[in-house]
Amino acid sequence: MKRFSSFSKIASARRPQPVAEVLGRTDAFAALRAGVEQISALERDLAQLLPEYLAKNVEPGFIKDGTLTLFAAHGALAARLRQINDRLLSSLQQRGWPVRTLAVKVRLRAMEEPPAPKQARMTPAGAAALQALSRSLPPSPLQAALATMASRHGKSTDEKQ
């Protein structure tokens, strides 16, 4: 067991540490830490200023020479940001951000998985009730839709049995 004692000392010294703590240790990381904090604060303000669909799909960049670069997930969102450019710029300035102009760029993201299609389930009794209702109605688009729905669900329940 003696040969593993030095390893256990090293392993115990390597505990997870918050990023802010690591970046605060040296002056070399001071600028990086300031940039990270600035982007974090910008994200919070943008989340309050923008509609939810925009806030989720827009990432702030750094402020350089009075220009804040915003990265949109796709072209349509970038166009929407350009439409509200003046209002957003004014709101950011009111919150104390040293911004004179906004630059909007597109930074494509990987597509999210679309939600799974709904898998409606109907009991055999429900399908029979729909079928009976469709038979009682005069010919109409509603009657045809109910008949189609009843037959579709009637088949799927028959196949499972």
Side-chain angles (χ1 to χ4, degrees):
M1 286 293 167
K2 191 172 187 178
R3 68 182 202 184
F4 293 112
S5 62
S6 63
F7 175 75
S8 63
K9 289 178 187 175
I10 294 171
S12 65
R14 292 186 178 197
R15 62 176 175 74
Q17 300 171 3
V19 173
E21 183 180 315
V22 173
L23 294 179
R25 287 190 192 140
T26 64
D27 292 337
F29 290 123
L32 180 60
R33 181 177 181 174
V36 169
E37 289 172 352
Q38 181 185 49
I39 288 179
S40 178
L42 266 170
E43 284 177 339
R44 283 191 301 271
D45 281 350
L46 287 173
Q48 293 173 355
L49 295 172
L50 294 173
E52 185 179 353
Y53 74 94
L54 273 174
K56 286 182 176 181
N57 295 295
V58 173
E59 297 175 6
F62 290 105
I63 298 173
K64 185 175 181 180
D65 299 328
T67 300
L68 169 63
T69 303
L70 297 175
F71 296 98
H74 52 78
L77 292 175
R80 181 65 183 132
L81 280 173
R82 289 182 186 106
Q83 289 174 346
I84 63 169
N85 187 330
D86 294 338
R87 183 176 54 92
L88 182 58
L89 180 61
S90 173
S91 297
L92 287 170
Q93 289 169 342
Q94 288 174 0
R95 289 177 177 243
W97 290 102
V99 178
R100 291 189 311 271
T101 58
L102 294 177
V104 179
K105 296 184 179 181
V106 176
R107 181 186 290 167
L108 297 177
R109 289 188 192 170
M111 292 290 290
E112 293 181 8
E113 290 275 332
K118 291 183 179 180
Q119 297 292 325
R121 304 281 185 239
M122 187 177 294
T123 64
L130 272 181
Q131 188 66 37
L133 177 60
S134 72
R135 287 188 197 125
S136 69
L137 294 173
S140 66
L142 174 62
Q143 186 271 338
L146 288 174
T148 302
M149 189 185 317
S151 67
R152 183 176 54 237
H153 286 283
K155 289 178 187 173
S156 63
T157 55
D158 292 342
E159 290 171 0
K160 291 179 185 175
Q161 293 175 350

